């Protein structure tokens, strides 16, 4: 393997180049752990300093226990300072997210890790923009991170909870990273990214790419039938499934598009090019 490459942190991510900045959109806690755990475990195997800021202070101990079960010699790594688990307070300064402080802390930890004999560093953190009121600033921070990491033996895995994410925000997050993947119902999906140099692409284009990847073929069929004015019973008859199954799919579509009404789901799908033109 080329010395400029890292061993893969999760099979779908492939080999990680120096300065890798990755985005992972997840649906459940299991999906989150299935990406973060191997990302950190392989970093420890490579003698890289590892840092994780999991989603939510109330569940911090739960995540620590999950790592203990899944990472060999976890307690030894923790005691030796090879792995650090941080709570979400690191994101905040008084009542706002301190983005400049975060970048400064990241670089300081990186240089300290190299000075202590580590081969590099891996860090993963969960996005909490939904309660910061500063999404635009957060997105700019992600773009700056990509430039900051370039050429360094430092990899970042930024995780985004699908159910909490507005479509516009997630599309921008995808474009701020070199590689984006989604983990849903146990399946991995690569999500097409828009490079930082091509941010002039319309938001609708980015969202359409992302949402089209996250909606299953059956869900796309159902929302197309919804757009034609079909009821749940009519959709069920057309697809040879039960009305209850249709309702389950409709609920999933609502969650993925972050909407609560059929009319809004159809309108959004039409604007994104998911619904066919008849």
């Amino acid at each position: 393997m080329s010395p400029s490459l890292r061993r893969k942190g999760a099979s779908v991510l492939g080999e990680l180049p120096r300065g890798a900045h990755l985005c992972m959109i997840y649906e459940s806690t299991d999906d989150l752990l299935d990406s973060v755990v191997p990302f950190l475990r392989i970093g420890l195997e490579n003698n890289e300093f590892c840092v994780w800021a999991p989603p939510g202070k109330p569940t911090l101990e739960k995540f620590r226990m999950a790592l203990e079960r899944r990472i060999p010699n976890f307690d030894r790594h923790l005691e030796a300072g090879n792995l650090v688990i941080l709570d979400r307070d690191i994101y905040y300064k008084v009542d706002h997210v301190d983005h400049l402080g975060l970048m400064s802390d990241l670089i300081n930890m990186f240089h300290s890790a190299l000075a202590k004999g580590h081969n590099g560093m891996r860090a993963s953190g969960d996005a909490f923009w939904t309660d910061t009121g500063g999404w635009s600033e957060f997105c700019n921070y992600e773009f700056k991170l990509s430039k900051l990491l370039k050429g360094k033996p430092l990899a970042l895995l930024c995780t985004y909870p699908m159910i909490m994410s507005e479509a516009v925000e997630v599309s921008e997050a995808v474009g701020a990273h070199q590689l984006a993947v989604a983990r849903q119902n146990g399946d991995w999906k690569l999500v097409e990214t828009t490079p930082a140099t091509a941010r002039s692409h319309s938001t609708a284009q980015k969202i359409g790419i992302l949402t089209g990847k996250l909606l299953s073929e059956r869900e796309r069929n159902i929302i197309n039938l919804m757009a034609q004015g079909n009821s749940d019973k009519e959709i069920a008859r057309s697809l040879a499934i039960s009305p209850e199954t249709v309702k389950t799919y409709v609920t999933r579509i609502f969650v993925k598009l972050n909407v609560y009404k059929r009319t809004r789901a159809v309108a959004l799908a039409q604007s994104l090019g998911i619904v066919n033109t008849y």
Side-chain angles (χ1 to χ4, degrees):
M1 180 178 70
S2 166
S4 67
L5 295 179
R6 291 311 213 231
R7 290 176 60 191
K8 57 189 177 181
S11 59
V12 71
L13 299 178
E15 300 294 339
L16 303 183
R18 294 167 67 96
H21 191 198
L22 314 173
C23 169
M24 206 282 290
I25 304 165
Y26 65 93
E27 187 174 42
S28 67
T29 298
D30 285 341
D31 292 334
L32 174 65
L33 289 170
D34 283 346
S35 61
V36 171
V37 168
F39 177 80
L40 297 176
R41 185 181 65 239
I42 292 176
L44 292 171
E45 292 173 1
N46 290 341
N47 188 35
E48 297 170 323
F49 175 59
C50 295
V51 179
W52 186 30
K57 192 170 184 176
T59 56
L60 190 62
E61 182 61 21
K62 179 183 73 174
F63 284 117
R64 193 199 70 79
M65 293 174 64
L67 292 187
E68 186 175 15
R69 291 193 300 269
R70 299 184 183 208
I71 294 181
N73 303 311
F74 172 80
D75 288 333
R76 180 174 62 81
H77 283 300
L78 203 61
E79 184 176 353
N82 300 327
L83 171 66
V84 174
I85 304 174
L86 304 172
D87 66 48
R88 64 176 295 171
D89 288 345
I90 66 165
Y91 288 91
Y92 294 98
K93 183 178 182 180
V94 188
D95 60 351
H96 67 281
V97 176
D98 182 15
H99 298 105
L100 291 178
L102 280 173
M103 283 194 285
S104 177
D105 289 345
L106 179 68
I107 291 301
N108 287 338
M109 285 190 289
F110 169 66
H111 287 306
S112 176
L114 294 183
K116 292 177 181 178
H118 291 283
N119 295 331
M121 175 176 166
R122 290 188 180 211
S124 180
D126 210 68
F128 291 104
W129 68 87
T130 52
D131 57 4
T132 67
W135 166 249
S136 179
E137 185 181 1
F138 185 85
C139 192
N140 287 332
Y141 160 74
E142 289 281 38
F143 275 97
K144 289 177 182 177
L145 277 179
S146 290
K147 295 180 180 179
L148 184 68
L149 301 176
K150 190 174 181 180
K152 295 181 176 65
L154 172 58
L156 293 186
L157 175 62
C158 302
T159 56
Y160 293 79
M162 186 185 305
I163 196 169
M164 296 171 61
S165 307
E166 292 283 351
V168 173
E169 294 170 353
V170 175
S171 70
E172 289 294 330
V174 166
H177 296 79
Q178 299 163 352
L179 176 68
V181 295
R183 170 93 174 176
Q184 185 180 27
N185 297 325
D187 294 327
W188 290 99
K189 298 181 178 68
L190 286 173
V191 181
E192 183 176 344
T193 60
T194 303
T197 55
R199 287 190 73 188
S200 59
H201 284 201
S202 72
T203 299
Q205 286 177 312
K206 296 177 186 177
I207 303 171
I209 291 171
L210 174 65
T211 312
K213 293 284 186 179
L214 294 184
L215 290 183
S216 67
E217 182 178 357
R218 176 53 62 87
E219 289 162 349
R220 291 196 297 271
N221 289 337
I222 287 175
I223 201 166
N224 271 278
L225 290 170
M226 287 167 57
Q228 298 174 48
N230 291 288
S231 66
D232 287 350
K233 289 184 179 180
E234 290 169 332
I235 294 174
R237 191 179 308 116
S238 176
L239 298 178
I241 57 179
S242 71
E244 289 72 22
T245 300
V246 173
K247 291 179 181 178
T248 298
Y249 277 114
V250 170
T251 299
R252 290 178 185 174
I253 292 170
F254 285 179
V255 169
K256 292 178 183 180
L257 299 184
N258 198 27
V259 298
Y260 303 95
K261 295 181 179 180
R262 294 169 72 97
T263 53
R264 177 58 184 150
V266 169
L268 181 58
Q270 287 174 332
S271 69
L272 301 178
I274 299 171
V275 170
N276 297 328
T277 302
Y278 296 95

